[in-house]
């Protein structure tokens, strides 16, 4: 029988064991970061969508203060543009051809979605049943299909197969940008990590 206690009494063994544990802990975070950047499309999309949510939170907070005090130097519309620019600066980090796309984003994004809408599309990224999310591995990266749970409902049978799909038209009308309702993201692996083909995924989306 292997005697663990005898090994533990050996100071050289204890030292090697502790060093081994420390190396595992030190290497965990760089390895996790590398995995997220190169092999985890959900991580990239969470960053992408969270940028609009954060901008919306800031804008709503500013609006509430402005309505209460009315002495701020900047009008809400000016702050809206500022927060949109912050969102675009974050999103450009995760897209192909970032310089070209940044210019298009500044023309494309004029408003911010309500936080509730962004939270729901973020929720589809965590969908374990794959009703609202589907990931396909391709030669160059991933295709990620998402649909906002606000705009569609499913009826399942006892085997969890979909037997009915319902579109909530009234909820759909509340969404300003198609990417926050239903979309397929085309994600490419580059030497800098995974990047969203924003032109193909968002800009040309009808």
């Amino acid at each position: 029988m292997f005697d663990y206690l005898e090994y533990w009494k050996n100071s050289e063994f204890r030292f090697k064991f502790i060093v081994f544990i420390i190396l595992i802990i030190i290497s965990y975070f760089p390895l996790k970061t590398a995995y997220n950047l190169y092999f985890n499309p959900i991580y990239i999309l969470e960053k992408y969508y969270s940028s609009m949510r954060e901008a919306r939170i800031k804008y709503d907070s500013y609006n509430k203060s402005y309505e209460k005090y009315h002495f701020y130097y900047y009008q809400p519309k000016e702050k809206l543009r500022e927060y949109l620019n912050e969102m675009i600066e974050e999103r450009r980090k995760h897209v192909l051809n970032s310089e070209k796309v940044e210019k298009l984003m500044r023309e494309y994004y004029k408003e911010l979605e309500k936080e509730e809408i962004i939270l729901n599309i973020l929720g589809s990224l965590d969908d374990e049943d794959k009703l609202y999310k589907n990931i396909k591995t391709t030669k160059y990266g991933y295709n990620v299909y998402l649909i906002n749970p606000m705009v569609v409902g499913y009826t399942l049978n006892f085997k969890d197969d979909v037997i009915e799909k319902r579109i909530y038209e009234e909820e759909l009308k509340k969404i300003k940008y198609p990417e926050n309702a239903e979309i397929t993201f085309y994600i490419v692996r580059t030497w800098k990590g995974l990047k969203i083909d924003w032109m193909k995924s968002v800009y040309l989306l009808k």
Side-chain angles (χ1 to χ4, degrees):
M1 184 176 178
F2 189 81
D3 193 342
Y4 291 98
L5 185 59
E6 286 299 319
Y7 266 86
W8 189 251
K9 288 178 180 178
N10 185 306
S11 59
E12 184 180 353
F13 171 79
R14 288 200 307 271
F15 174 76
K16 289 181 179 179
F17 180 77
I18 292 170
V19 169
F20 176 71
I21 296 299
I22 292 172
L23 288 174
I24 290 177
I25 294 172
I26 291 173
S27 62
Y28 171 76
F29 294 104
L31 287 174
K32 183 178 180 181
T33 299
Y35 169 77
N36 283 334
L37 289 177
Y38 289 91
F39 301 99
N40 188 358
I42 299 303
Y43 174 82
I44 302 301
L45 292 175
E46 285 176 343
K47 292 282 188 182
Y48 178 85
Y49 277 113
S50 293
S51 62
M52 181 173 279
R53 184 193 173 204
E54 291 169 8
R56 183 74 208 201
I57 290 172
K58 290 179 182 178
Y59 180 64
D60 286 345
S61 176
Y62 186 88
N63 262 348
K64 287 179 182 177
S65 298
Y66 186 85
E67 289 171 2
K68 185 175 181 180
Y69 300 110
H70 294 286
F71 61 81
Y72 285 100
Y73 180 75
Y74 294 105
Q75 295 291 318
K77 286 185 178 180
E78 293 175 288
K79 295 300 289 185
L80 172 63
R81 189 69 255 173
E82 177 184 326
Y83 297 137
L84 281 169
N85 287 338
E86 288 180 7
M87 179 195 78
I88 290 167
E89 284 297 319
E90 177 60 31
R91 288 192 168 186
R92 76 186 297 274
K93 299 174 185 176
H94 309 294
V95 300
L96 287 175
N97 304 316
S98 58
E99 291 184 7
K100 179 180 178 181
V101 166
E102 181 181 357
K103 294 177 182 177
L104 293 173
M105 282 184 174
R106 295 189 188 282
E107 297 172 4
Y108 184 79
Y109 294 112
K110 302 297 183 183
E111 300 179 82
L112 291 166
E113 293 280 17
K114 291 186 180 298
E115 186 185 4
E116 175 191 10
I117 293 169
I118 301 301
L119 283 174
N120 273 279
I121 196 71
L122 279 167
S124 67
L125 291 171
D126 295 327
D127 175 34
E128 295 181 0
D129 297 326
K130 298 182 180 178
L131 290 173
Y132 305 98
K133 174 186 69 181
N134 185 30
I135 302 175
K136 290 183 179 179
T137 302
T138 68
K139 182 179 179 180
Y140 302 103
Y142 304 91
N143 293 347
V144 182
Y145 169 79
L146 297 175
I147 189 166
N148 194 318
M150 285 181 64
V151 304
V152 66
Y154 297 100
T155 300
L156 308 179
N157 62 18
F158 67 95
K159 294 181 180 180
D160 289 336
D161 297 322
V162 175
I163 58 176
E164 184 185 3
K165 179 180 178 180
R166 301 176 302 281
I167 303 297
Y168 303 127
E169 296 291 345
E170 291 303 314
E171 296 297 328
L172 189 57
K173 292 175 183 176
K174 297 177 183 177
I175 298 177
K176 296 180 174 67
Y177 301 105
E179 67 187 279
N180 300 324
E182 183 178 17
I183 187 173
T184 296
F185 280 102
Y186 300 95
I187 300 176
V188 179
R189 186 177 292 109
T190 72
W191 68 274
K192 291 183 178 181
L194 295 175
K195 299 292 181 182
I196 299 166
D197 187 338
W198 189 84
M199 289 281 292
K200 184 177 179 181
S201 305
V202 179
Y203 193 69
L204 301 178
L205 180 64
K206 304 297 183 183

